Amino acid sequence: QAQPVESGGGLVQAGGSLRLSCAASGRTFSSYVIGWFRQSPGKEREFVAGIRMSGGRAAYADSVRGRFTISVDNAKNTVYLQMNSLKPEDTAVYYCSANRRTISFYDRDNYDPWGQGTQVTVSS
């Protein structure tokens, strides 16, 4: 039940880059998958990227594929989301969470607990 802690958000111009960090507990890193989701006003929390903790396979939402990269530093119990070529539509609160139920990536109901989120704002 230890919450991961997201950081690295901020205000950036379109075309810029940010790297988000998700600092997790060891128990969180025992999960099948660590995922990044995002939520903007009026929208559901949506899958962005995830990485399997065994094997390292990653998955991405179509909207971010080729621009975002998820990675993990096991020594630091930290998962990163490198975001390049940012667009205004990437503006959202970004959350990190653990999936301990399945190796599948996409269903947010499989993830628990959630971090507090970090705000990413991309200006035009």
Side-chain angles (χ1 to χ4, degrees), residues 18-41:
L18 287 171
R19 189 178 74 161
L20 307 184
S21 297
C22 172
S25 68
R27 189 162 73 101
T28 297
F29 266 62
S30 296
S31 302
Y32 290 116
V33 179
I34 303 296
W36 285 97
F37 288 71
R38 66 188 182 188
Q39 188 167 22
S40 56

Side-chain angles (χ1 to χ4, degrees), residues 14-80:
S17 297
L18 287 171
R19 189 178 74 161
L20 307 184
S21 297
C22 172
S25 68
R27 189 162 73 101
T28 297
F29 266 62
S30 296
S31 302
Y32 290 116
V33 179
I34 303 296
W36 285 97
F37 288 71
R38 66 188 182 188
Q39 188 167 22
S40 56
K43 297 184 67 176
E44 296 289 327
R45 190 171 298 186
E46 64 179 357
F47 174 81
V48 177
I51 187 165
R52 290 179 181 164
M53 304 308 293
S54 178
R57 183 178 179 182
Y60 300 92
D62 289 343
S63 59
V64 308
R65 187 173 294 110
R67 299 188 297 121
F68 292 10
T69 303
I70 189 170
S71 62
V72 58
D73 185 335
N74 289 296
K76 295 182 179 180
N77 282 1
T78 300
V79 175
Y80 301 98

